Structures are given as structure tokens and as C-alpha cells.
Amino acid sequence: METRRRSLRTEAERDPAAPGQRTGPDDRPHTGARPARAERLALATAAVLFASGLFHLGVFAVAGGPWDGPVSWRKPATFGLSFGLTLAALTWVTSYVRTGARVRAVLLGLLAADSVLEVAGITLQAWRKVPSHLDMETPFDSAVSMTLAVGGGLLVVILTYFAVAAFRRPPSGPAAMALAVRAGFAILLVALASGAAMIARGVVLTRTGHQLAAYASTAPLKPLHGVSLHAVLVLPALAWLLSRTSLGAETRERTVAAATGCYLLAVAATAVWAALSY
């Protein structure tokens, strides 16, 4: 019996959270009404955004039109799907980040509201059959574009805060989760940087009278932005799935490290493609 107890203690030290257990600061599950409400709100919002994306895929199938270009049903479809998936992923992944429960609840609320703002603005412009980003043709269009830009800036602030928190203190959770969360947030910062670069370059071209060039300028960075955006879901999901197996902690660590390396290669390949495309 004593040998069994020592074995369990050793395993707990190597893998502080039981498989699949979502823990918060100091390896404790997030508790309290405020975080629970914030999570439910964020997940419900994510479901609505994802459903909006699916709906606009249906609109595209019925109405047709171009898939590429600044005016396309692609934008409300892909942004709805992407924001919905990313918001749900961040709601889950941030439960492993060691930050105050109240702070996390507030940031999740802001993240959900900002996600709605972004998708709503893009969807509105798609139904008006005008570009959503970099469109300064009318005062109203300019207001929508600037609102989307400000919303993007808020996203950068919120997600950078979570990324810094993940590196300041090791994320909790099963073996390899800390590596997965940190790598996911680090790669997510690449997505934020590439998105900001697209907007900045487009605004410069728009302000100098090159509107069509501004719309075209975002194309090379879109693959980099898209690939790096979802590492924060893929890598932690892999760590969680591995925690449901009988593999040891060291094997799980090596597997997630290898997956991180592969993901970084994909990000590097899209970055090289973007550089060669300009």
C-alpha cells in the first residue's frame, strides 16, 4: 500500500492535473459564479458566431458570386466560423492560464463582445455589397472600417495579455499542456502581427489613393494569418487528447514538442510564401 501511495505521489508531481481536468490559478479549477457566467456567455457567443458563418456559407451556395475579392460572401462565412472557433478555444485554453478569475472573466466578456462587433461589421458590409475593411468611400463605410480596426486593436491587447500571463507563470493542467498553451499563444502572436500588418499596409495604400491595391495587398499574408491563428486550439487539444491515453508524461511532452515543431514549419512556410509574393 505504501508503495502504491508513493507511486501516486510521484505521478501527481509529474502530471499535476488529472486527465482532462481544467484547472485555474495554483492548479485549482476556476470556481465562482463570475467565471462560470463569463464562460457560458463566451461559449454561447461562439456558437452564435459559428452558426452565422455556416449560414453565410449557405447564402453563398444559393446566391453565388465570387469567393475571392473584397466583396464576397466568403468574408462573413469565414470570419463567423473563425471567430466562433477561436472564441470557444480561448475560453477553454485560458482556463489553464494562471491569472485572476475576475480578470479572466472580464477579459472573456470583452473578447466575446469584440468578436461580435467584428463579425457584425463584416456581415453588415457583405449584405450592403461593399468592402468591410479599408473602405473609405463614404463616411459610414469609413466609420465601419475604423470600428473594425479599433476592435482588432482590442483583440491584440486582450490576447497579448493572456500570452504574457502564460509565459510569466507555467500554465496548469496535464503533462505537456503548459508547452502546448505557451506555443499556441506564441504562434497566435504571429497571427496578430500579420493581421496588423495587413491593416497597416492597406490603410497606407488607401490614404495615398491606391484603393484597389490596398484590397489586393492583404492576399499574401492571409495564409500566414490563418495558419497561425488556430495553433492555440490545435496544440492544447492535442495535449488534452494525449492526457486521455495511457502514455507517460515524458512521451506526451515529446509528442507535443514534435507537433509544435511541425506547426512552426507550417508557419515558416507560409511566411516565406508571403515574403516571395510581395
Side-chain angles (χ1 to χ4, degrees):
M1 179 64 71
E2 183 63 28
T3 302
R4 174 63 175 168
R5 288 175 180 171
R6 284 198 299 268
S7 175
L8 289 175
R9 283 197 299 268
T10 302
E11 180 62 27
E13 290 170 358
R14 294 169 59 194
D15 195 356
Q21 183 180 9
R22 294 169 53 191
T23 54
D26 304 320
D27 294 328
R28 295 192 302 270
H30 281 292
T31 57
R34 187 190 299 263
R37 285 197 300 267
E39 285 190 354
R40 288 196 297 269
L41 173 62
L43 291 175
T45 303
V48 171
L49 295 177
F50 197 85
S52 173
L54 291 177
F55 171 77
H56 285 94
L57 279 179
V59 172
F60 170 73
V62 173
W67 180 252
D68 294 321
V71 181
S72 169
W73 292 117
R74 177 199 85 253
K75 299 191 73 174
T78 57
F79 274 80
L81 294 172
S82 184
F83 267 92
L85 186 62
T86 302
L87 178 58
L90 289 168
T91 302
W92 170 59
V93 171
T94 57
S95 67
Y96 295 109
V97 178
R98 297 173 185 266
T99 186
R102 290 186 177 182
V103 172
R104 175 171 173 263
V106 171
L107 292 181
L108 284 181
L110 289 174
L111 186 61
D114 200 13
S115 298
V116 171
L117 177 68
E118 293 289 307
V119 175
I122 291 162
T123 302
L124 171 65
Q125 296 298 73
W127 282 97
R128 294 181 65 235
K129 301 187 184 305
V130 296
S132 55
H133 294 86
L134 309 176
D135 185 2
M136 307 293 179
E137 294 296 325
T138 69
F140 182 80
D141 293 329
S142 297
V144 172
S145 294
M146 292 305 299
T147 299
L148 294 176
V150 171
L154 179 58
L155 288 176
V156 170
V157 172
I158 294 172
L159 298 181
T160 300
Y161 174 86
F162 281 125
V164 171
F167 280 91
R168 182 178 298 160
R169 299 176 63 193
S172 58
M177 184 59 76
L179 171 61
V181 170
R182 284 175 163 176
F185 271 113
I187 297 174
L188 179 62
L189 293 179
V190 176
L192 299 179
S194 58
M198 283 191 285
I199 296 299
R201 180 176 174 81
V203 167
V204 170
L205 290 171
T206 297
R207 297 297 188 186
T208 55
H210 301 88
Q211 189 71 57
L212 294 179
Y215 295 142
S217 68
T218 62
L221 285 172
K222 285 180 180 178
L224 174 61
H225 181 71
V227 169
S228 54
L229 183 64
H230 297 295
V232 75
L233 169 61
V234 173
L235 296 176
L238 174 61
W240 181 84
L241 288 172
L242 290 172
S243 75
R244 313 296 292 182
T245 70
S246 59
L247 295 174
E250 291 183 5
T251 301
R252 283 182 269 164
E253 291 276 1
R254 288 196 298 267
T255 302
V256 171
T260 300
C262 292
Y263 212 108
L264 288 172
L265 286 176
V267 171
T270 54
V272 171
W273 186 87
L276 296 176
S277 299
Y278 274 114

